[in-house]
Amino acid sequence: NVAVLAPPPVIMFSGSHKSITKGHRRQKRDWVIPPINVAENSRGPFPQMLVSIRSDQDKDISVRYSITGVGADQPPNEVFSIDPVLGKMFVTKPLDREHRSSYHLRAHAVDMNGNQVENPIDLHIFVIDMNDNRPEFKNQVYNGSVDEGSRPGTYVMHLSAFDADDNTTANGMVRYRILPQTPHSSIPNMFTINSETGDIVTVAPGLDREKVSQYTIIVQATDMEGNLSFGLSNTATAIITVTDINDNPPMLTSRTFSGEVPENQVDVVVANLTVIDADQPHSPNWNAVYRIISGDPAGHFTIRTDPVTNDGMVTVVKPVDFEMNRAFMLTVVASNQAHLASGILSSLQSTAGVTISIQDVNEPPYFPTNPKHIRFEEGVPAGTSLTTFSASDPDRLQMQQIIRYSKLNDPADWLSINRTNGQIVTTAMLDRESVHVKNNIYEATFLATDNGSPAASGTGTLQIYLIDINDNPPALVPRESQICERMNKNVNGVNITAADADTDPNAGPFVFELPNFPSSIRRNWTISRISGDFARLGLRYQVYLEPGMYEVPIIVSDSGNPPLSNRSVIKVKVCPCDEHGDCTTLGAVAAAGLGTGAIISILICIIILLSMVLLFVVWIKRREKERQTKQLLIDPEDDVRDNILKYDEEGGGEEDQDYDLSQLQQPDSLEHIMSKPPGIRRVDERPIIPESQYPIRPVVPHPGDIGDFIHEGLRAADNDPTAPPYDSLLVFDYEGSGSTAGSVSSLNSTSTGDQDYDYLNDWGPRFKKLADMYGGGDDD
């Protein structure tokens, strides 16, 4: 049997008693365990006993109790506990319904060996809600808008607050109300809020953006169904913007406006219209649009709106003429880009009058017909009067002015104009074929200037259509061609035509004729007509001409009245042709004016010239080989052509004591001297400049080149600044201070015999001086 007893409630495990009726077994139905309610946020003391669990078998055996589930042995652990011996279940800490609103546990009963003595029972624990949470708004500030002039009941915006408490109880039931609005207008409560839904609507008429453009209201949310005594409250701010509608028409600041403008000017602001509009600036409800409803049928003016100031700028878009209209009286209406709101009428101040005065200025003369077209035949002589090109002065209301004419542009300089009356006369013959004539039209520009203050001028264009006359003879085309020396069925001749600078009917069709003189022309050549503009020039049948260049005169006549003729010459190259009718290479050369004999002669000359060049090259190679193989006329050991001997220079004698001999003393170290090649005893410095290039001696020179080699080497040595002696201090070997020998200055040759030095004359011009010294003893 199961029973639930309170206080404290005792929960008994369902028994397993069975009864037998008429041979059938029947098991008793279990009792339904009611849920256990626990208030949240209990202050204890803890652990706080909830229920007591008992098994009816604890009278016979020792039973141990336990609980399982979330809050017992599953996270969050140890929220609930049970005395294993007594079966008392406790809650160990305060519960929070907003964190977890219910728990599902299972109670178990086992013996001391852990054997189950009862079936587990389900325990449902519900956390009872307490009003411990205030309503919370998602935002602290909400923004909404409503058109000005809206009727009562117009929806504005929605606010909502959330209460974490149980919304099925009064703890979570939120109600809304509006605290006093700001600013306090003539109607203190302009808006109301639905206490349950949080919708804000208008409650009174009179919304006017121009008076109050924004409202700020405080909305309070309270739970416990709005009971201010027991419920918890919170607030949020609602900012309501009154949006503009076009309920204020624009009003012009004046009933009349005025301005003035010189005639013939455009894009000039004549008058400035100012307007006042109470609607929101720079919006379609504020932006002004101006229209001219009368006084300007020709559309000389328009009114543009200044985007910054909203003023209307009356602007001239089409030139006005003082002689036609001295003033304009305009009627102007101002409106907005957006239409006026329903029920709003336009103001009388939206209309105004604008008076515009036109100022007279000196206007330039104008040519009534511009450009002026005339027709004349080309070739009219100089001095021919063509037309009178006169201009008019539009300033009829001013004193009579004088107009003077001048030429502005005359490309060919064919015309002149009378300064006073504008009569145009030719100064040269008009030529239709001139490069200055385009499509048969010659164009010139003239200037008309008045004597006003300031002077004004206008231009006029004269276009002369030139009628063609037959003044250009035709010219033959082409001027050169070629033809086969013998006519055949594939090659019929040369197609010719003519070019004529004139036009029809003074051009084609053309007539092509051969002249009677010389007679060989008609005897060898023939012309056949192809069409009105083309003919064919060819050789007569069975006529053979030597290859070469022939000049064939042809007379060409046009179709003018009277016709013009021209004798033209075409150069025809007659040449041998292949089977296709094309000139062969040999034929082209022959056609250039050379016969077969001349061509053969030229080829023979070329062969002879090449042979001579080849023989000359062979001779040069052979001569070079001989020069390399012949021996010198003298023995190489006795050859002194390039052996330059250098000797020690001993300076002056012992009597030269006026010099500082320490400068001439042998230095202590002779390494820099001994390192020089044998025979060189100089220790002075050579100049640091590039050395001269001496001729290179051939290994086996030709005897005829010995003299040339010596002269070239001598010339190089004479011009070599690096050759010794250098222009520097010389160091000589010092022989000591004193000598046991006497002076050798008085030594004379003991030879008394005469020696023959005439052989020095045979040594060349360089030994001539020596030969004169020793060979001329008889003269002394």
Side-chain angles (χ1 to χ4, degrees):
N1 297 328
V2 179
V4 179
L5 303 176
V10 179
I11 299 176
M12 300 295 294
F13 283 93
S14 60
S16 304
H17 305 288
K18 301 177 181 177
S19 59
I20 300 175
T21 304
K22 297 181 180 181
H24 298 280
R25 293 183 178 182
R26 183 175 62 85
Q27 183 173 350
K28 297 181 67 176
R29 182 178 299 174
D30 294 343
W31 294 91
V32 177
I33 306 301
I36 303 170
N37 295 322
V38 180
E40 67 171 334
N41 301 324
S42 175
R43 295 184 178 180
F46 297 101
Q48 180 179 354
M49 182 177 174
L50 300 179
V51 294
S52 180
I53 301 175
R54 292 292 305 278
S55 171
D56 55 2
Q57 297 189 31
D58 61 355
K59 298 177 182 179
D60 302 326
I61 60 175
S62 296
V63 178
R64 293 292 181 265
Y65 303 98
S66 64
I67 55 176
T68 59
V70 175
D73 61 345
Q74 298 178 19
N77 296 350
E78 299 180 354
V79 175
F80 301 97
S81 64
I82 189 170
D83 189 325
V85 178
L86 301 178
K88 296 181 179 180
M89 191 174 74
F90 301 90
V91 59
T92 61
K93 61 180 68 174
L95 301 181
D96 186 0
R97 191 200 68 84
E98 288 71 41
H99 181 260
R100 192 177 185 90
S101 60
S102 65
Y103 297 87
H104 178 204
L105 303 178
R106 303 198 77 184
H108 306 272
V110 296
D111 59 14
M112 298 301 292
N113 295 323
N115 298 320
Q116 179 177 308
V117 297
E118 297 283 359
N119 291 328
I121 60 174
D122 292 325
L123 302 177
H124 294 278
I125 302 172
F126 292 98
V127 182
I128 301 174
D129 182 46
M130 304 295 289
N131 190 19
D132 59 343
N133 291 281
R134 293 177 180 275
E136 296 291 340
F137 288 96
K138 183 179 180 180
N139 301 313
Q140 279 300 110
V141 178
Y142 291 83
N143 292 286
S145 62
V146 62
D147 289 340
E148 62 175 331
S150 296
R151 297 178 180 179
T154 302
Y155 174 81
V156 180
M157 60 188 302
H158 171 77
L159 282 77
S160 62
F162 173 75
D163 196 314
D165 292 326
D166 189 359
N167 57 5
T168 62
T169 66
N171 297 335
M173 294 182 180
V174 180
R175 298 294 182 264
Y176 305 93
R177 73 190 189 99
I178 293 178
L179 301 181
Q181 69 183 23
T182 303
H184 299 284
S185 61
S186 57
I187 303 176
N189 297 318
M190 186 65 71
F191 305 94
T192 185
I193 188 169
N194 187 305
S195 61
E196 295 183 3
T197 63
D199 292 335
I200 298 177
V201 296
T202 59
V203 71
L207 284 173
D208 189 352
R209 190 202 66 85
E210 286 72 39
K211 294 181 179 179
V212 179
S213 60
Q214 190 178 82
Y215 290 89
T216 301
I217 58 177
I218 306 299
V219 177
Q220 185 182 56
T222 307
D223 58 13
M224 297 301 290
E225 297 183 294
N227 191 322
L228 298 178
S229 300
F230 304 102
L232 301 177
S233 300
N234 213 336
T235 59
T237 301
I239 299 176
I240 302 174
T241 301
V242 181
T243 56
D244 183 45
I245 64 172
N246 194 11
D247 57 344
N248 294 281
M251 295 182 293
L252 293 164
T253 57
S254 177
R255 298 291 296 171
T256 58
F257 296 89
S258 62
E260 60 181 11
V261 60
E263 62 175 334
N264 299 322
Q265 292 192 7
V266 293
D267 292 330
V268 177
V269 177
V270 218
N272 202 57
L273 312 182
T274 55
V275 72
I276 296 175
D277 196 318
D279 290 321
Q280 184 175 355
H282 305 290
S283 69
N285 299 328
W286 179 81
N287 295 335
V289 177
Y290 301 89
R291 292 181 298 113
I292 300 174
I293 60 176
S294 65
D296 184 23
H300 291 283
F301 304 94
T302 188
I303 304 179
R304 298 166 181 164
T305 304
D306 188 311
V308 178
T309 63
N310 213 27
D311 293 345
M313 300 177 292
V314 182
T315 308
V316 182
V317 294
K318 184 184 296 185
V320 292
D321 189 357
F322 175 81
E323 286 71 27
M324 299 294 296
N325 294 286
R326 299 186 183 184
F328 289 86
M329 300 294 296
L330 309 180
T331 302
V332 176
V333 173
S335 59
N336 293 122
Q337 288 181 349
H339 296 291
L340 289 174
S342 178
I344 304 299
L345 301 177
S346 60
S347 172
L348 294 177
Q349 294 181 338
S350 299
T351 304
V354 181
T355 302
I356 300 175
S357 301
I358 309 302
Q359 298 175 343
D360 188 20
V361 297
N362 183 30
E363 299 177 81
Y366 70 95
F367 292 88
T369 304
N370 193 11
K372 184 174 183 178
H373 303 274
I374 61 174
R375 296 171 62 93
F376 264 88
E377 284 189 351
E378 64 171 331
V380 295
T384 302
S385 176
L386 300 182
T387 185
T388 300
F389 198 23
S390 59
S392 301
D393 191 347
D395 296 317
R396 298 187 305 270
L397 301 180
Q398 295 184 8
M399 69 176 193
Q400 188 66 27
Q401 295 180 346
I402 300 174
I403 299 177
R404 292 291 181 261
Y405 301 93
S406 60
K407 187 168 60 173
L408 184 62
N409 183 31
D410 183 9
D413 199 18
W414 288 344
L415 309 174
S416 65
I417 187 169
N418 188 286
R419 181 173 178 78
T420 57
N421 59 16
Q423 184 181 20
I424 295 177
V425 179
T426 60
T427 58
M429 186 177 65
L430 305 183
D431 184 9
R432 191 196 66 85
E433 289 74 37
S434 170
V435 295
H436 303 290
V437 177
K438 309 297 182 184
N439 298 324
N440 301 329
I441 295 177
Y442 179 74
E443 188 172 281
T445 307
F446 299 92
L447 192 68
T449 307
D450 62 17
N451 61 345
S453 180
S457 60
T459 60
T461 301
L462 178 65
Q463 293 181 343
I464 307 173
Y465 184 89
L466 296 176
I467 303 172
D468 184 41
I469 62 174
N470 193 17
D471 57 345
N472 292 280
L476 187 66
V477 177
R479 305 307 296 267
E480 293 184 1
S481 186
Q482 65 184 20
I483 194 172
C484 294
E485 60 183 355
R486 284 185 176 86
M487 301 292 293
N488 56 54
K489 60 180 181 179
N490 296 325
V491 181
N492 297 323
V494 178
N495 290 338
I496 58 176
T497 184
D500 197 325
D502 296 322
T503 59
D504 292 335
N506 298 318
F510 301 103
V511 177
F512 301 90
E513 296 176 313
L514 293 173
N516 296 324
F517 182 82
S519 59
S520 61
I521 299 299
R522 286 182 173 267
R523 184 171 60 250
N524 297 330
W525 303 90
T526 181
I527 292 179
S528 58
R529 187 181 183 87
I530 299 177
S531 64
D533 294 334
F534 292 89
R536 181 174 293 111
L537 173 66
L539 290 172
R540 286 191 176 274
Y541 183 66
Q542 294 183 348
V543 171
Y544 170 75
L545 294 179
E546 287 288 337
M549 186 68 71
Y550 294 86
E551 293 185 354
V552 181
I554 298 176
I555 299 175
V556 186
S557 303
D558 59 22
S559 299
N561 186 17
L564 293 180
S565 299
N566 183 24
R567 181 187 175 102
S568 301
V569 175
I570 178 172
K571 293 183 179 180
V572 181
K573 182 189 298 182
V574 178
C575 59
C577 297
D578 55 19
E579 63 275 10
H580 302 291
D582 298 327
C583 278
T584 61
T585 304
L586 184 59
V589 175
L594 299 177
T596 304
I599 295 175
I600 295 175
S601 300
I602 293 175
L603 293 177
I604 293 174
C605 292
I606 294 175
I607 293 173
I608 294 174
L609 181 61
L610 292 176
S611 301
M612 294 176 64
V613 172
L614 182 60
L615 291 174
F616 180 76
V617 172
V618 171
W619 179 79
I620 291 296
K621 292 292 184 182
R622 185 175 179 181
R623 185 172 179 270
E624 186 69 24
K625 186 176 181 181
E626 291 177 355
R627 291 174 56 185
Q628 295 178 358
T629 55
K630 286 187 177 181
Q631 296 294 329
L632 292 173
L633 296 179
I634 61 177
D635 188 75
E637 295 182 357
D638 298 332
D639 187 8
V640 295
R641 287 176 296 176
D642 57 351
N643 295 334
I644 301 176
L645 303 179
K646 300 182 180 180
Y647 301 91
D648 291 341
E649 297 179 22
E650 298 180 344
E654 293 79 1
E655 296 179 356
D656 299 333
Q657 300 298 321
D658 294 338
Y659 302 97
D660 185 6
L661 296 180
S662 63
Q663 299 294 331
L664 305 177
Q665 193 170 0
Q666 177 71 27
D668 296 336
S669 176
L670 300 179
E671 292 181 0
H672 66 289
I673 300 177
M674 300 305 294
S675 61
K676 293 181 177 292
I680 300 178
R681 305 293 296 167
R682 301 175 62 91
V683 295
D684 52 328
E685 299 296 330
R686 71 187 304 166
I688 305 176
I689 58 175
E691 297 184 0
S692 299
Q693 297 297 323
Y694 287 82
I696 300 175
R697 176 183 178 184
V699 178
V700 184
H702 191 275
D705 297 335
I706 295 177
D708 296 336
F709 179 83
I710 293 176
H711 284 87
E712 291 176 5
L714 181 61
R715 183 170 57 254
D718 292 340
N719 298 325
D720 186 6
T722 63
Y726 310 127
D727 188 12
S728 58
L729 180 65
L730 303 180
V731 179
F732 302 91
D733 289 342
Y734 181 59
E735 298 180 353
S737 59
S739 173
T740 57
S743 173
V744 295
S745 301
S746 60
L747 291 179
N748 293 322
S749 174
T750 58
S751 175
T752 59
D754 294 334
Q755 187 173 355
D756 187 8
Y757 295 100
D758 292 339
Y759 63 89
L760 294 176
N761 294 320
D762 299 332
W763 286 12
R766 294 187 178 275
F767 294 92
K768 186 176 184 306
K769 185 66 176 176
L770 188 63
D772 293 340
M773 294 174 59
Y774 288 92
D778 296 340
D779 297 337
D780 297 338

